[in-house]
Amino acid sequence: MLILRILAAIWGACLASFITAISWRMLNNVSLFNPKRSYCESCHHILCWWQLLPVIGWLLQKGRCHFCHSPINCYSAVSELVNGWLWYTMFIFNPLKIAALLVLSISLLICSATDYFNKWIQPIWLLGLFGLFLLLNQKWQWLRLVAAIAIMIGLLMLSYLTGNGIGIGDIEFIAMLQLTTSLYFVATTILIAASLGIIKLQNQNESLPFVPYLSLGIVAALTLNLI
């Protein structure tokens, strides 16, 4: 089983690398087929095979391009590491659970990437959060819908009163999370995401894309749920 989990972790890291690269190209109007391989954003040099290794490639280069020594954004490496950990901890040799994990993983990766790079998300990808419903063996209760609506209204009011508070995409994400999990899980996710976000905000003055932190919170909450 350990070997399967390790293979699942490698798959998860590779999936994160692929989706992050595709998302970046689409958001920056770069062809998906030309060039065929990834390249440095600064010097546009085509990357070698070892530079493309998830997480390891970034570490071997010490966070800088091997050719021009420009800093490499750590977002891709972090997403690879986190998604690899998600697959390692949640992998169960069950076709339904594997499908749910795949749907959840893709949803979190795409929503996080679009929010991080362009600060918006497409609501359709939030449907992937229903993967949590199956992974956590949840049972449907109408109270979930009531709670999700209440959370959405409350956060919208908070956003309106603060003027520059939480974004609409973040509110939709949290409401969908409540619809697919429990209030305890949502609270744990937000607490972890907010804590990480506060640490990041100490080093910058611009607005913070919150969905990547919510995704980190979900992975952390899932890990805690297994302890």
Side-chain angles (χ1 to χ4, degrees), residues 199-217:
I199 295 174
K200 179 64 175 178
L201 280 175
Q202 292 178 350
N203 301 319
Q204 65 179 43
N205 297 319
E206 59 184 22
S207 60
L208 183 74
F210 197 45
V211 170
Y213 292 93
L214 288 171
S215 296
L216 281 171

Side-chain angles (χ1 to χ4, degrees), residues 4-227:
L4 288 178
R5 286 184 178 272
I6 292 174
L7 291 175
I10 294 173
W11 154 255
C14 291
L15 179 65
S17 178
F18 175 74
I19 290 183
T20 300
I22 292 297
S23 298
W24 183 87
R25 287 199 180 201
M26 292 183 67
L27 292 171
N28 288 276
N29 296 317
V30 177
S31 172
L32 299 179
F33 308 102
N34 185 30
K36 295 181 179 180
R37 293 172 58 182
S38 297
Y39 57 90
C40 174
E41 296 178 31
S42 298
C43 65
H44 297 281
H45 199 291
I46 299 298
L47 302 183
C48 301
W49 67 268
W50 60 270
Q51 294 172 285
L52 298 174
L53 294 174
V55 183
I56 297 176
W58 187 85
L59 292 175
L60 289 176
Q61 296 179 92
K62 299 180 180 179
R64 291 185 175 275
C65 175
H66 176 71
F67 304 105
C68 67
H69 306 294
S70 298
I72 303 173
N73 193 320
C74 67
Y75 175 82
S76 183
V78 172
S79 66
E80 292 160 4
L81 181 64
V82 172
N83 201 55
W85 175 253
L86 173 64
W87 276 83
Y88 179 83
T89 56
M90 297 303 298
F91 181 81
I92 298 176
F93 198 68
N94 178 304
L96 185 60
K97 292 295 180 69
I98 292 176
L101 182 57
L102 179 62
V103 168
L104 171 65
S105 183
I106 292 174
S107 174
L108 294 180
L109 287 170
I110 292 178
C111 289
S112 296
T114 54
D115 191 41
Y116 181 84
F117 292 120
N118 275 29
K119 296 183 180 177
W120 62 270
I121 62 174
Q122 289 184 330
I124 187 65
W125 292 110
L126 294 177
L127 294 175
L129 293 180
F130 273 99
L132 283 168
F133 191 86
L134 294 175
L135 290 174
L136 295 174
N137 299 313
Q138 299 291 295
K139 295 181 179 179
W140 176 254
Q141 297 175 343
W142 285 105
L143 185 59
R144 294 180 188 279
L145 179 59
V146 175
I149 294 174
I151 288 175
M152 179 174 285
I153 293 175
L155 291 176
L156 283 172
M157 291 179 62
L158 178 63
S159 179
Y160 175 78
L161 291 175
T162 56
N164 58 348
I166 190 168
I168 299 299
D170 303 329
I171 295 174
E172 293 173 341
F173 190 99
I174 294 172
M176 183 62 76
L177 186 61
Q178 171 57 46
L179 198 61
T180 57
T181 60
S182 64
L183 189 59
Y184 175 78
F185 190 93
V186 173
T188 303
T189 298
I190 294 177
L191 178 61
I192 295 172
S195 300
L196 294 173
I198 289 174
I199 295 174
K200 179 64 175 178
L201 280 175
Q202 292 178 350
N203 301 319
Q204 65 179 43
N205 297 319
E206 59 184 22
S207 60
L208 183 74
F210 197 45
V211 170
Y213 292 93
L214 288 171
S215 296
L216 281 171
I218 288 175
V219 175
L222 286 171
T223 302
L224 293 173
N225 190 64
L226 295 175
I227 298 177

